[in-house]
Every structure is written in structure tokens, then in C-alpha cells.
Amino acid sequence: MAVLQLNVSDGLQVADFSLLDHITISTQRPLTAAFLFACGNCGAVFVGRETVATILSFVTVTDQAAEEPRPQTVATHDQHHCHDLNDNPRTCGSTAKRYRSWERHRRRDGTHTSGGPPGLVRQQSSPKTPPFFHEILNRIRHTQNHIGVETGDNGLIRVKTLLPFEYRLIQSLTFQLVIRDAKEGFAMQTTVAVTLVIIDVNNFQPRITIPPNYNPSNTSSAWECLETDIRTTFIPLAFLAVEAEDDDSEEFMPLNYFLSYDEAPQLEGYVEINITTGVVSVVRPLDREAPGMAELMMLTIRVMDNANRGYNQQTSAGTRIAFRVIDRNDNPPILHFNNIVLDQGAAFSQQISECHNGTVNIDFYATDADSTPSTPPFYPILTVFPAAYRTHFDTFSDRTGLIRLLILKTFDYRLVQKLNITLTVYDSDPNTPFDPILNTAVTVWLEILDTNNLIPRVSYPINYDPTSPSAELFFITETDSRNASQFTAFPVLTVKAVDDDSDQFMPLDYFLSFELAPCLQGFMEIDRSTGVVSVVKPLDREATGMNETLVVEVFVMDNAKQSFNQLTSRASKIAFRVTDLNDNPPDVRFNGQAIPHLGNVTVDVTEHTCQEVLLDLYASDRDSVPKTPPFFHEILNLDPTYQNHIGVETGDNGLIRVKTLLPFEYRLIQRLTFLLVIRDAKEGFAMRTTIAVTLVINSELPQFTGPPTLTFSVDENWTGPIRHGIITAADADATANLIFSITFDRAFDPDGLQVADFPFPDHITISTQRPSPPAFPYWRGQLMVRRSLDRETVATILAIVTVTDQAAEEPRPQTVTTMVSITVNDLNDNPPDVRFNGQAIPQLGNVTVDVTERTRQEVHLDLYASDRDSVPKTPPFFHEILNLDPIYQNHIAVETGDNGLIRVKTLLPFEYRLIQRLTFQLVIRDAKEGFAMRATVTVTLVIIDVNNFLPRITIRDLASSKTRLMEEPSG
């Protein structure tokens, strides 16, 4: 038996090559006579040519037959060649990065070839490379011409820039570089993502954006600064913040700021710039009188970038700014009195009678060493102590330097014996923005000579002021009406008064005036000598006017023992309030008519009716204590047989309703009487009213054919029949004669408050119309409006319609009632109500406001509008401007708000030289379209001049009658 064996020689250049893992050999026996020799078949698994190209091995055949004493062998050399395929992509390297790619391919025979480690050249031999081929993908469109790629025979692939990049426009650029090993046909390729990071260089000069370079043709752009007042503590002043920008990146920040004094060396040390922030400041006191300070001075600002490095720095071009020092008023006026110079704070005395005739004056003369402001005239200001006497004095000044102290009013020695008057003389109007304004103050001690002229005054109680939270109010309890016969007078308070005159004008007399509270006349008196105020008659809080705050006036007269030279004090008000007691029974009304205590009410009851309202009474109480309604009730003297037939209900509106719970039978009872007691308190002491109620049971009563409560509506300002205002009724009696009547119940305004004393009969009536079968089978009552209604006064009316059967055979008239509600519909019939500062402005009224010239976007007038009508729904209101000068149409704007605000404001400034007063009409409407009510207000804008122009000097040549204008306002 022959056995084939594959031996491997390890002496090859490829070290550690595992041949047995790749090449094997198998033994096959001969099958026929044709194959009398053994053969071996080699197989290869995953042999990569890039790893091994040629394999040399030994093949050994061994005979292991049984008859052989030992195995016999023979050997031969075998050589295997690996054919190359294009199955590896390109692998490239560079000095910056090294890229590695591995790829596997499955062959049609199921074998796999894996690439080896990357190098700088192709690993396979097919196709022949280098040079390689390339392609650039995913480039930004505007940078396509900036990048180029070169390839070399040594495998070099070079990426280079063709055009420069701008860091401001792009900071990084990424694209894909595809490298192929064949230009056409099947090619392997490697894709590399290349990122270019743009490095900024300092190639731009910084530039100054604020301030702009000084323009000599525009001298108003110069920076101005007042000279420093040496009398005050100097504080550095920043007047300019320089702003600069640099197109380079933040790497070359921050910026440094510098000032050059080449053109104005006198400012060096006075004006400096912060090197890091660019803030230009005055750092030392400025004196305009110093050499060169009166001129227009030029400074140059420069900016340097890359401040943190001492190299590669860029400096901006110089920006010139103009600087001017403005003169300051620093010398106070000098005062002269009787040719004597008065120093600051000087004082002297003058005497005057308290009853002088008004011809006493004190004259001063003033001078000023300063040329600015231009004086005289001077501006005197007075300060008087005590300050209450400031109105006794005034001042006068003219261009000669005269300053006159005028004494206008008389004095009272008892109140003041000496006055301290401080006269402060300013060299400019204190109300102008000129700064500084200097002054000189002197003190005049004015001694008052005595005369007698003071009136007495009330010291207690303090004069009553209803607007003051500390106002004192005196309470007096009303007299119980049940004990009025036992009343005795009692004191309330004692009035105290003082008189600053001497004792020769004593004693004092006290008097009361009841002009403000006439209802207290005769009920209250004051003792003339002691001032004790007493109640001398019983007080009833329910009397007319007694339920309000009552104010009486007290007067005091001096010199009571003489009938001449008497002085009376001013009126001092004392407020009283009468507190309530429960001393009045409830006031009960039926159909609007008052029912007295133990009065009788008779109503008709139809037999066989149940849960029917028989009687609606309305109760009220004149007393405020206890708090009512609701009222409380009790039924007395009712036949026990019919105790369950009658029920009583009470409501919070004072309603006391009597109704039937069980029906009556006319055959059994024709009349039922009982007592209804109405109390104003459930427990404890209570006042009560008793009413005798008589029910008359009958079989045939008139009946309303409509609902129990009828609702109608009528437009305000309408007179005549109410549309659909017909109430129908019927009576089963053949001889019925029905009459409609209407009585007033209550009326309410649009806010739901009850309208007192509404003249109902003057507005609403009802007429009776007999039935006209078959069209009108019922009796009809037509509601009529006699006088038009105003919804702003009354919005809802409740009335009671009564139908009375006055047939001849009835023992007495039989009646039924129903409630009628009439709603007044609102119409747009009231113009808007316009108010300014809380005051109503009438139609075509005028409003005048001040407008300072050269101001814009300023609110000058806030009006508030409201509308009493509920239609249309307002605010907002609508407006229109009429009769406005076309030149100033763009100067005025009007805004409206949801709270009724109508705001007039200026959009463009006014010039006082061109216009001093502007008048137009502001029309305010309550609807934008259609019928609208409107209010017209005349608005007058008074333009206020401000001192914004320098004075000009004109020189008139008398010989030639020509006028020459000096352009410079100096000298």
C-alpha cells in the first residue's frame, strides 16, 4: 500500500509561514488497470499573493505494505505559484496622517482574499501603479478653485491651495479626497476626509467707529465742557466713550486706546483716555482763563490691536476730535445799601408799624464782576421767617441794578414782633438751566411796632374737614319717641376760644349758626359766656335731614363789654351725627299706599283656588337698627277652621306675601278676617305693625289671560303706545265692566340701583279697550308712554296693573292685579363725556397746554372719555383732528386706549420762532362708522420758548444807516 505525504521546507524568505494551514495533499487508490499508480491532490485555502507569491515544498511517497520489512520512501520537489488579482485598495501615507484600510472580497469559488498591511505603494501588482488617480468630493461651491491636487510617480499625492482664504469668511473647510488605482474600468479606491483649518493673521488695521472724524465745517460737533468751579470738589468727568472694531479674530484682541496732544499740548494732563476702555475723561480741573484754554482745541485718538503682545501690532488711522472749554459764572453779585458794601451774610435792622400804609420800601443796588450771564437786571429771591409772612413782601429790580424790597401788607404785633428777611440776589434767573447761578444773601431784621387788630379764634373743637381722616365727629343719641315727654336738656361739648389781643378786649361771646344744618335750629343752643353746646329739644333721627352729618358753625366775638371796636372770629365748623334707636314700627304699604297701624286691607278670593297670591305687602323701617328686611310676621285671631288655608312668606326686599294654601268654599264662608303682625326683630325688643286682613270669597273674579308677570320693552325718547304693550283680561260675568289701571312699584337705573321719587304717572299710563268679538274677545289694556324715558336715568320699571270689575250687581268692585316689567332700550343719544384732570369739558370747550419747543415724542394732554350709553360699546373711542394747520399735520398724533384714554402727543418738535400757538379741534366719536355721537374739544398748544440761541451783536453805522452783524458772539 502506497501512502502520499507532503513535507514542507522552512528555509523560505517568508518567516513563520504556516504552510499546513494553506496546502494539504490526499492519497487516492488506483481504480482501473489504466491507473496502476497512486496519485496525490493538493488543495489551497485562502492564500493571499500579497503575503506569499511562491511556495517550495517536498512531496514524499511511502510504501507501508505488510510484507515490507520496513517502510520505503521516495521524495520529490514541488513548486506552487500564487497568481495576483486587483483585490486591494490603495493605501497612502503622508507626513500629517497615516490611513489604513482593510477589505475582503468573496470569490466565485467561495475563497476569500484579505489585504495585507498598508504601505506607501500598491500591494498588488495588477494594475500597474503608481501614478494614482484622484477625485475631490463635497467641496463648498465658492471654494472649488481654491484647492488643487497633484500626483507623482513615487506615489505622492499632494494637496495645495491655489487661491488664498479669508478668515472672516471661512474658518474651516472639509472635503473628501478619493484615490483610485485605475483611471478606467474596475478600480479599487480609498477615500480620505481632509479638513483645512484656516489660521487667522493680524492683517487688518483697527478702525474707530465712534466718534467720527471732526469736520471743521460743522463746529457744533465739538465736545464742550464747563470750566471747573473752584469752590466745589472736582470730580473726574467722562464725556466720550470711544468705540473701535477690528476685522481680525479675537486672538488679536484686546485693543489699546491712545490720545495725541500734538495740536493741543495745553490739554495734556487735563484730558486722558482709558487705555483699555476708550473712555475719554477730564481728570483735572479746567480753567478757561488759562493760556490757550479759550480756543478750539484738537485731540487725535488712535487705536492699537494685539495689546497683549509687543509685536505684530496694527495701529488705526488718527481720528481728530474738537474740544472747547465753556466759561463758568464764578463771581457772586455785590450788594450796596446806603453806599455801604454788604458782604455775604451781612445783617441790619429796620422798623415798621404793623398798620403801615404800604409806602415803606428798602432799596439796594447790585453789581457783578462777571460778564456772563449778562447782568443787570438781577433776580432777587426772598425768604421770610416765619414763612407765613412771605406774601407780605415782594421785590422789584431794573437794569440800573436797583433792587427794591416792597412791603405790601400790614402786620399784627400780637402774632409777630420781629421778622427775619433773607434777600438773595442771583446773577441769572434761577428758573433757567444756566449753571452755575451765583448769589449774595443779606439778612434784614424787620421790627414790628404794636397796634391792636387781631380777631379771636376757636381752639376747640378743630374746624371740621370731611376730607381729613382725623376729622372729629360728635355723636348724639336720638330721643326715644316713647319717652319724649320726659326729655331734659343735656350738654354735648364746650367750645373753647382764644384771642391774641391784650386782656382789655376780653371777655368773649359765643354764637351758633345753623345755616348749614337748619334742621337743628331750635334743638341745639350755646351758652354765650361759657361756650357750652347743649341739646334743648328731643331729637328724632327720622326727621328730615337728621340722618346725615350735621354741621353747625360757631362764631366768637371779643370786647363783649363794649358795643364798639368788636372783632368776630371766622366760622369754625362742628359736625354732629344723630345715632338711631329702634323707636319706629315697620312702615307697611299696599299698592303703593301706606297702611296705618291696625289698618284694614280687603282682598277678593276666588273660591276653589289654591296657591294663589292674595296680598303683596311691602314693609320698610325708618330705623337703621335692627337691620331689616327681612321682617318677621305672626297671624292672630284666625278662625281655627282655616288656619291651614292661609300662608305668609317674607323676602329680603321687604315683601310680605299672603297666599292661599287650601281652597275656600263660597257656600261655607264668604268673609274671613284675621290680624297680621309685622315685627322688625325676631327676638328681644321689636317694633311691630298690626294689619287687619279681610278676605272676601266670591265666585266670579276678573282674570288675566296672560302670564302672571308681563315684560315689555320701549325705546328711550319714545312717546305713544308701547309696541306689543297690550294686557288682556276676561270676566265670566255677562255684565262685567272692566277697568284697567296701573300703579308704580319700583324703578331701577342701569346700575341696578333703585330710583327714588320716580314720577311714574307722568311717563306711563294704561287705557281700557272693550272686547270686539270675534277678533278681540278679551278686555285689553294698552300701555302708553306719555313722556319719553331716559335710559341713563331709569332702565327698568316695575308696575302693578289692576283690573277692576265695576258691574252694577256686584256688592263692591272686584279686582285682580299682575306685575308688569317695562325695560327701557338704550339708544345712542349722548355724546362722549370728556374730562381733563378730573374736570368735565363741555361741548366745544377749550383746553390749553404748554409745549416746550424742540421736544418730540412727548405726551402733552391726557383726556379720559366715557359714554353714558351702552350702545355702541365703548371704549375705545374714535377721533378726528379738524382745522389743523397743514404745515403741522405730522407734528400731532392722537392715541386711544381701552380705558377711555385719548392721548395727544407731539411727534415732531416745534420752533418758537415759527409758531407760538397752535389751535385745532379734536372730535371724539363713540362709533367708527354709521350714526355716532361726538364731542368736540378745542385744543390750544402754547409753544414755550427755551434759551437755545446765542445772542448776536449788531453794529449800526449811523453815518451810512447800515447794519453789520458780528458773526462771533464774543467781546
Side-chain angles (χ1 to χ4, degrees), residues 941-956:
L941 304 182
V942 178
I943 313 304
I944 305 300
D945 191 18
V946 296
N947 189 12
N948 57 338
F949 290 99
L950 292 173
R952 299 190 300 273
I953 299 176
T954 58
I955 301 176
R956 181 178 297 277

Side-chain angles (χ1 to χ4, degrees), residues 245-256:
E245 58 184 23
D246 192 345
D247 291 333
D248 291 319
S249 65
E250 298 292 336
E251 177 186 357
F252 302 99
M253 292 295 177
L255 302 178
N256 278 357

Side-chain angles (χ1 to χ4, degrees), residues 135-140 174-178 189 191-192 194:
E135 183 180 2
I136 297 177
L137 302 179
N138 299 333
R139 271 188 301 186
I140 300 176
T174 300
F175 58 88
Q176 281 72 44
L177 177 62
V178 181
Q189 62 186 37
T191 301
V192 180
V194 180

Side-chain angles (χ1 to χ4, degrees), residues 95 155-156 230 350 381 407 439 552 610 656 690 868 921 954:
T95 58
L156 172 67
I230 60 175
Q350 289 287 99
I381 301 295
I407 304 175
N439 65 80
V552 298
C610 184
I656 296 144
T690 303
R868 298 176 64 196
Q921 279 72 45
T954 58

Side-chain angles (χ1 to χ4, degrees), residues 714-717 748-755 758 788-796 823-833 866-872 874 926 933:
V714 62
D715 293 340
E716 65 176 336
N717 303 328
F748 301 93
D749 62 13
D751 296 327
L753 301 178
Q754 190 166 341
V755 179
F758 176 66
S788 61
L789 297 167
D790 184 8
R791 186 186 180 276
E792 284 67 44
T793 303
V794 59
T796 304
T823 301
V824 182
N825 299 324
D826 197 10
L827 297 177
N828 187 13
D829 61 342
N830 288 283
D833 178 27
S866 59
D867 197 349
R868 298 176 64 196
D869 299 317
S870 61
V871 291
T874 51
D926 57 9
M933 298 298 292

Side-chain angles (χ1 to χ4, degrees), residues 585-588 595-597 676-679 687-691:
D587 179 24
V588 182
I595 304 174
H597 181 61
L676 178 61
V677 181
I678 301 170
R679 303 193 309 275
M687 298 299 291
R688 58 192 72 200
T689 297
T690 303
I691 300 173

